[in-house]
Amino acid sequence: MLVVMTVLGIETSCDETAASVVVDGRRLLSNVVASSMDLHAKYGGVVPEIAARSHIESIMPVVQQALNEAFPALTSTNSVSDGVLAIAERRAKQWAEVDAIAVTYGAGLGGSLLVGVLTARTLAIVYDKPLYAINHVEAHLYANFLTETALPSYVLPSVQPVFPSIGLIVSGGHSQLVHLRNHFDYTLLGQTNDDAIGEAFDKVAKIIGLPYPGGPSVSRKALDGNPQAFSLPKARMAGKYDFSFSGLKTAVLRLAQQQIGEDFTFPSSGLADRLNESQKADIAASFQRVAVETVVDKTVLAYEEYGPRSVIIGGGVASSPELRRQLSQRLESRMGSPILYTAPKLCTDNGAMIATLGCFKALHGQPTVDPYSLDIAPNLSM
Ligand code: KG4
Ligand code: ZN
């Protein structure tokens, strides 16, 4: 029997308000993202209260736009002159196309998660749709299952990942390595004991005076630097597959102080003005090499131990050219198939990955949640 499952995904765990419609966990119909990143840039990181407030303002327009883009035939081109009844009728037709709603309930910022979860709960009750609670970290890997779209400018893979697989999630909030035997059958091999890798990029960018978000700006600066200029420490962890980035971040701070001839008491806020451009580039390149090596070492180790049929890389840092370079050199060259990176437009937080995992939950008979009681889980683990 052919089952067609159309899912609306809602994501508000950090600073992106996002909604998307996906069919059968493979076809992307729409993907709308409103980011409050610009509002956070001057603080050098996400401010939870600002993020939550902008989710409140954006969530319903974003959901409506995701429905409009997914079902253009049911969308008015002239809604201003339309009567209220005509609009309501079209919206009802759009909702009739949606089989289920999926929403991120963790991990993430409490206030931000609340906006998405309460919106999804309300919509599930009002439109009488089954509701799936989605783990944001798990969902990052599911962006890789999208292989079809009519949306312009999306470059998607042609085939879906096969199991068993090793999954590496590297983002601003997470660094996790997972062994996936099948859908909903996986083991968390290891994770960061402190900062996430993207967070380390963001903090190092702040130390050397590069704009937020730090990942892309450190990447760009590193192009002018020597990755071997400085030797920085790689953390040795008790857990075979665990990571740590806080020691590396402190080592960068000490290195920057040393480069301008000051000791450890010199405030980090004054460093950027005293470092010259070549020092900044060498620090960026040396930090990036070691941070990326940290996750690549463990991914290679897991590949050797588990011999998976695929390796999936998800999360914002999956777009790092240095990560791709190291993985290609150390792992892809030994594999019979290419490493599967999340498509560039789906690397950072989005509703498509949430909707895709929602589709698989529905297609595999996973339990729905009660729309009257679903709670947020800010510290949810994999
Ligand atoms: O997945 P994401 O939107 O955030 C979380 O779910 O937490 O990823 C954002 C993170 C930021 O920390 C950003 O600095 C990092 O991904 N990032 C990068 C690159 N592009 C984005 N890190 C390293 N190199 C990049 N090219
Ligand atoms: Zn994320």
Side-chain angles (χ1 to χ4, degrees):
M1 185 182 62
L2 185 67
V3 185
V4 177
M5 183 52 67
T6 302
V7 174
L8 169 73
I10 296 178
E11 154 65 35
T12 63
S13 68
C14 192
D15 57 340
E16 270 96 16
T17 315
S20 159
V21 178
V22 169
V23 180
D24 285 349
R26 68 166 65 238
R27 183 165 177 76
L28 179 65
L29 296 192
S30 66
N31 187 40
V32 179
V33 182
S35 177
S36 60
M37 190 194 284
D38 293 350
L39 301 176
H40 307 286
K42 67 177 173 200
Y43 304 100
V46 175
V47 183
E49 291 74 15
I50 296 178
R53 273 201 298 273
S54 44
H55 286 310
I56 293 175
E57 285 167 18
S58 310
I59 187 73
M60 283 317 294
V62 164
V63 167
Q64 189 55 53
Q65 197 181 330
L67 294 174
N68 291 349
E69 289 180 16
F71 312 116
L74 302 175
T75 303
S76 169
T77 48
N78 191 14
S79 56
V80 179
S81 61
D82 275 351
V84 176
L85 279 177
I87 294 172
E89 196 177 311
R90 256 194 323 273
R91 293 210 173 142
K93 284 184 182 161
Q94 289 180 330
W95 277 101
E97 298 291 316
V98 174
D99 297 311
I101 299 173
V103 64
T104 304
Y105 77 114
L109 302 168
S112 291
L113 288 167
L114 257 183
V115 180
V117 165
L118 290 176
T119 304
R121 284 174 52 179
T122 309
L123 292 172
I125 293 166
V126 170
Y127 293 104
D128 194 21
K129 304 290 175 188
L131 180 62
Y132 291 93
I134 302 292
N135 179 330
H136 175 93
V137 186
E138 216 177 297
H140 264 298
L141 292 177
Y142 274 80
N144 292 51
F145 284 86
L146 288 165
T147 54
E148 297 167 21
T149 189
L151 296 176
S153 76
Y154 280 79
V155 182
L156 299 179
S158 51
V159 288
Q160 293 188 317
V162 285
F163 295 112
S165 180
I166 291 294
L168 173 71
I169 303 112
V170 274
S171 77
H174 313 281
S175 307
Q176 262 115 346
L177 193 63
V178 202
H179 177 220
L180 304 117
R181 285 171 291 276
N182 208 330
H183 292 295
F184 315 110
D185 178 13
Y186 64 80
T187 308
L188 175 64
L189 300 177
Q191 59 187 327
T192 182
N193 283 17
D194 38 61
D195 294 347
I197 182 169
E199 196 179 350
F201 271 87
D202 294 337
K203 287 178 177 169
V204 165
K206 203 168 176 180
I207 293 172
I208 60 176
L210 302 178
Y212 174 82
S217 45
V218 168
S219 276
R220 269 193 305 277
K221 195 73 187 167
L223 292 174
D224 303 326
N226 171 9
Q228 306 293 341
F230 305 113
S231 133
L232 290 163
K234 225 187 289 176
R236 299 179 76 84
M237 309 300 298
K240 187 174 175 186
Y241 291 112
D242 284 342
F243 317 109
S244 163
F245 295 97
S246 72
L248 175 59
K249 178 196 65 195
T250 308
V252 167
L253 177 61
R254 297 285 171 265
L255 171 64
Q257 289 164 328
Q258 192 196 339
Q259 286 296 298
I260 60 161
E262 298 284 354
D263 72 7
F264 69 95
T265 59
F266 189 83
S268 62
S269 56
L271 286 166
D273 289 340
R274 301 257 309 262
L275 288 163
N276 64 38
E277 294 309 308
S278 133
Q279 286 170 320
K280 287 182 185 180
D282 283 346
I283 292 174
S286 302
F287 157 77
Q288 177 175 253
R289 175 180 59 80
V290 176
V292 167
E293 259 172 38
T294 305
V295 294
V296 171
D297 286 351
K298 304 290 166 95
T299 310
V300 173
L301 206 60
Y303 180 82
E304 283 165 353
E305 180 166 347
Y306 294 95
R309 291 175 65 207
S310 67
V311 174
I312 313 175
I313 315 288
V317 187
S319 54
S320 157
E322 176 64 7
L323 179 71
R324 290 174 186 231
R325 189 191 65 77
Q326 288 194 25
L327 279 172
S328 145
Q329 202 174 57
R330 293 180 54 194
L331 190 55
E332 206 165 23
S333 50
R334 301 159 49 177
M335 293 169 56
S337 57
I339 291 176
L340 307 172
Y341 295 96
T342 301
K345 291 193 81 163
L346 299 173
C347 273
T348 50
D349 295 346
N350 60 78
M353 64 192 203
I354 307 304
T356 305
L357 180 47
C359 285
F360 280 101
K361 285 204 169 203
L363 294 170
H364 287 254
Q366 293 284 305
T368 56
V369 291
D370 180 358
Y372 287 94
S373 63
L374 174 64
D375 205 354
I376 57 167
N379 299 318
L380 185 68
S381 172
M382 273 193 89

